[in-house]
């Protein structure tokens, strides 16, 4: 196993001072999987005060001191070093009633959630693996350290973490761990929403997210109750081959693994059950469902304490997931006017997102070949790329005149805003160039004293 130079140096400094020390947790797991760890956590027998003496004179962050964590910063990279500890009972299913520092790494490993997360490594000792973590990595399973029922009883967040690690590494849940998930998922109610959100978003971006959504709909419905009516919901519409939950799962799987996009697809059709109407032929329609889904998305993202930006973006993308992107004959609409209007309405980033969402939503119906949707997506993106290379004007900000120019010509009050909107539309429709003289001339000839 290869440790970065600062990590092996931190370990040997602690060891030279007489304190056992190891790399631990996610970094050991990822290294053994051959993946680059995104951070390196260390653990040691030294107390925070003792660590401070060992690393005196270095750049330190003391924010975690109460929990036994000192952060040493080297070359702008933080390394968290935490004193070995055990945890007391968890009466609230969330936090240990107490934590105590202990001299033995074994007790520290035993409090960790899964065997693959409960390994430590030091160059002098190799991998310290008390619970069969390496074997579980090889067999690709997530298994609790100790009794799964007890471990989930201590901290219900571990239920979702189990699914998260399985989704991210494409592992399965060991049988007893899976059984405990199914028995204890209602205790997720007691977990802080921001912790659920963090795990849920990582899970949704994992390569096996779809497999987890299919296998554990009750867990996701517990976190987001609006998902529950979709499970097993017959869409009764000839465009749809799958029930609403399977459609949703496929839609999630078919957008790129970005948090906003994956969450948008999870929520995009939550409004369908409430919007359902049947026509005379017995076929179901869902007119107005994006509005209902968007209201749900706004509520869900707020309840999960998503950032303001994420709440707004996911709500917006859900609201517009269904906007028409095709011409009357069914081909992608890629003409200049259409794209400029959509750019004006959504901006470049959201328009690209809507193209991706549209493709995923179509593929997830099961009634169109994915290759056809891929080709349509490519056509849309290429047309957009080509248009944007011309640096076209599609917002007021980019226009060659502004409100003061119109005021200087004598326009007042609402006429200024209306005039600007008219100019932008003339420019976007290609009837006027985005040039100052031409725009001012148009104002004088067409907008004054009408
Ligand atoms: P990531 O790749 O997401 O950082 P990680 O395994 O490092 O994964 P963290 O949440 O950073 O996950 O936690 C670091 C380590 O702390 C875990 O590997 C695990 O050993 C332990 N741990 C974290 N959360 C819990 C928990 N709720 N219960 C028990 N042990 C936990
Ligand atoms: Mg980590």
């Amino acid at each position: 196993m290869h440790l970065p130079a600062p990590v092996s140096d931190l370990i040997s400094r602690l060891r030279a001072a007489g304190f056992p020390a190891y790399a631990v947790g996610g970094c050991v797991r990822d290294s053994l999987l051959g993946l680059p760890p995104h951070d390196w956590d260390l653990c040691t027998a030294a107390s925070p005060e003792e660590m401070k003496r060992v690393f005196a004179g270095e750049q330190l962050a003391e924010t975690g001191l109460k929990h036994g964590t000192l952060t040493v910063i080297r070359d702008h990279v933080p390394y968290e070093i935490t004193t070995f500890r055990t945890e007391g009972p968890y009466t609230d299913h969330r936090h240990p009633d107490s934590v105590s520092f202990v001299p033995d790494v074994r007790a520290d490993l035993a409090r960790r959630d899964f065997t693959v997360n409960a390994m430590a490594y030091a160059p002098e000792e190799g991998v310290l693996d008390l619970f069969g973590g390496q074997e579980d990595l090889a067999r690709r399973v997530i298994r609790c350290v100790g009794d799964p029922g007890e471990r989930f009883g201590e901290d219900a967040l571990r239920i979702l973490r189990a699914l998260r690690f399985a989704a991210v590494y494409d592992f399965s849940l060991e049988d007893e761990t899976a059984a405990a998930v199914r028995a204890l998922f209602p205790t997720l109610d007691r977990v802080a929403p921001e912790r659920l959100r963090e795990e849920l978003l990582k899970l949704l971006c994992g390569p096996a997210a779809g497999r987890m959504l299919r296998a554990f709909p009750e867990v996701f419905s517990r976190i987001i109750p609006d998902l529950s009516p979709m499970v097993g919901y017959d869409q009764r519409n000839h465009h749809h081959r799958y029930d609403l939950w399977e459609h949703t799962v496929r839609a999630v799987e078919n957008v790129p693994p970005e948090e906003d996009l994956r969450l948008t697809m999870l929520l995009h059709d939550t409004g369908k059950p409430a919007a359902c109407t049947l026509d005379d032929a017995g076929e179901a329609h869902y007119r107005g469902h994006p509005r209902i889904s968007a209201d749900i998305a706004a509520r869900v993202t707020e309840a999960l304490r998503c950032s303001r930006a994420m709440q707004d973006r996911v709500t917006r993308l859900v609201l517009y997931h269904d906007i028409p992107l095709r011409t009357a004959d069914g081909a992608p609409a890629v003409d200049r006017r259409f794209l400029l209007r959509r750019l004006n309405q959504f901006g470049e980033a959201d328009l690209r997102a809507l193209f991706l969402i549209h493709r995923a939503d179509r593929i997830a119906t099961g009634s169109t070949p994915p290759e056809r949707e891929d080709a349509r997506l490519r056509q849309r993106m290429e047309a957009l790329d080509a248009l944007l290379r011309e640096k076209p004007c599609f917002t007021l900000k980019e226009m060659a005149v502004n409100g003061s120019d119109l005021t200087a010509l004598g326009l007042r009050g609402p006429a200024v805003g209306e005039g600007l909107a008219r100019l932008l539309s003339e420019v976007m429709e290609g009837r006027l160039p985005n040039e100052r003289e031409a725009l001012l001339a148009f104002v004088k000839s067409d907008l004054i004293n009408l």
Side-chain angles (χ1 to χ4, degrees):
M1 202 167 117
H2 172 76
L3 298 183
V7 174
S8 47
D9 182 66
L10 292 168
I11 292 176
S12 40
R13 294 271 302 277
L14 285 161
R15 289 186 166 237
F19 302 108
Y22 303 85
V24 71
C27 60
V28 177
R29 176 198 67 220
D30 288 348
S31 300
L32 291 170
L33 284 170
L35 303 169
H38 44 75
D39 46 28
W40 289 84
D41 295 329
L42 277 63
C43 61
T44 180
S47 71
E49 287 307 314
E50 290 167 329
M51 291 184 227
K52 274 163 74 176
R53 281 200 287 280
V54 174
F55 299 112
E58 299 209 36
Q59 192 188 350
L60 305 177
E62 306 193 0
T63 43
L65 238 45
K66 272 204 307 293
H67 314 283
T69 303
L70 180 73
T71 304
V72 181
I73 297 148
R74 293 217 173 148
D75 280 335
H76 308 285
V77 181
Y79 299 94
E80 288 191 0
I81 314 177
T82 304
T83 309
F84 300 146
R85 57 175 218 228
T86 57
E87 297 173 348
Y90 288 70
T91 3
D92 65 356
H93 304 267
R94 280 183 302 186
H95 316 97
D97 300 341
S98 60
V99 300
S100 29
F101 299 139
V102 292
D104 186 4
V105 67
R106 288 155 197 274
D108 185 272
L109 294 177
R111 75 168 168 91
R112 293 173 183 269
D113 45 9
F114 306 111
T115 61
V116 296
N117 286 347
M119 292 180 278
Y121 174 83
E124 294 87 337
E125 295 179 37
V127 178
L128 185 54
D129 176 12
L130 307 175
F131 308 104
Q134 291 173 101
E135 194 188 328
D136 286 343
L137 282 182
R139 294 171 45 205
R140 305 170 70 81
V141 298
I142 299 299
R143 174 201 306 271
C144 286
V145 171
D147 178 71
E150 274 174 35
R151 304 314 308 281
F152 291 159
E154 291 166 358
D155 177 3
L157 182 68
R158 291 171 186 159
I159 295 167
L160 190 58
R161 282 172 64 84
L163 271 50
R164 187 257 279 195
F165 287 113
V168 168
Y169 295 108
D170 197 3
F171 281 19
S172 51
L173 298 195
E174 173 272 331
D175 287 349
E176 283 183 37
T177 298
V181 166
R182 295 194 195 284
L184 294 172
F185 71 88
T187 56
L188 279 170
D189 293 357
R190 298 174 228 189
V191 180
E194 44 272 50
R195 297 182 74 199
L196 293 174
R197 179 205 61 227
E198 221 174 286
E199 297 296 335
L200 177 67
L201 292 176
K202 286 183 186 170
L203 188 163
L204 287 176
C205 292
R211 192 160 48 78
M212 292 298 117
L213 290 166
R214 281 187 192 94
F216 298 97
E218 68 275 36
V219 175
F220 298 96
S221 299
R222 194 76 191 186
I223 300 169
I224 304 175
D226 303 274
L227 300 178
S228 139
M230 296 202 288
V231 180
Y233 186 96
D234 179 357
Q235 299 206 68
R236 289 171 294 176
N237 179 291
H238 71 277
H239 294 297
H240 280 277
R241 271 188 55 189
Y242 306 114
D243 74 52
L244 190 50
W245 182 242
E246 179 61 23
H247 167 72
T248 298
V249 174
R250 286 173 182 252
V252 169
E253 290 177 315
N254 277 291
V255 283
E258 295 164 25
E259 292 180 349
D260 290 358
L261 295 179
R262 293 266 163 130
L263 189 55
T264 295
M265 294 333 279
L266 185 67
L267 301 173
H268 79 287
D269 275 352
T270 45
K272 270 190 172 177
C276 181
T277 54
L278 288 182
D279 65 21
D280 294 340
E283 175 130 309
H285 302 278
Y286 303 96
R287 270 181 282 276
H289 80 274
R291 173 83 260 167
I292 303 174
S293 301
D295 290 344
I296 293 172
R299 182 160 44 69
V300 167
T301 53
E302 189 187 0
L304 289 172
R305 313 277 193 275
C306 293
S307 68
R308 187 75 237 178
M310 189 183 238
Q311 291 180 35
D312 292 348
R313 184 161 199 244
V314 169
T315 303
R316 202 163 58 234
L317 294 176
V318 168
L319 178 61
Y320 294 114
H321 78 263
D322 219 11
I323 49 149
L325 295 175
R326 285 182 284 170
T327 58
D329 61 7
V334 290
D335 63 283
R336 182 187 173 87
R337 262 182 76 205
F338 175 85
L339 291 176
L340 283 175
R341 284 190 189 170
R342 291 304 191 202
L343 280 168
N344 169 263
Q345 192 178 3
F346 301 115
E348 181 189 345
D350 280 6
L351 184 56
R352 289 190 192 275
L354 288 169
F355 288 167
L356 293 165
I357 287 165
H358 182 83
R359 167 186 171 276
D361 198 12
R362 298 273 308 145
I363 292 176
T365 63
S367 57
T368 172
E371 303 72 39
R372 183 161 76 191
E373 299 307 317
D374 288 343
R376 288 174 169 170
L377 174 68
R378 218 174 309 120
Q379 205 185 334
R380 293 189 167 104
M381 290 293 190
E382 281 168 9
L384 188 57
D385 290 340
L387 178 58
L388 288 170
R389 273 196 294 276
E390 297 172 20
K391 307 220 174 301
C393 168
F394 54 86
T395 65
L396 289 180
K397 229 171 54 205
E398 296 154 343
M399 246 185 350
V401 297
N402 60 26
S404 351
D405 297 318
L406 270 58
T407 310
L409 290 178
L411 289 163
R412 288 291 174 268
V416 176
E418 287 160 18
L420 287 172
R422 173 72 191 279
L423 288 176
L424 179 58
S425 128
E426 295 297 317
V427 169
M428 283 170 49
E429 301 287 334
R431 290 193 289 263
L432 279 177
N434 185 27
E435 290 160 12
R436 193 176 161 76
E437 290 314 315
L439 297 178
L440 294 176
F442 181 84
V443 174
K444 287 183 209 154
S445 63
D446 284 60
L447 297 185
I448 294 178
N449 300 327
L450 283 183

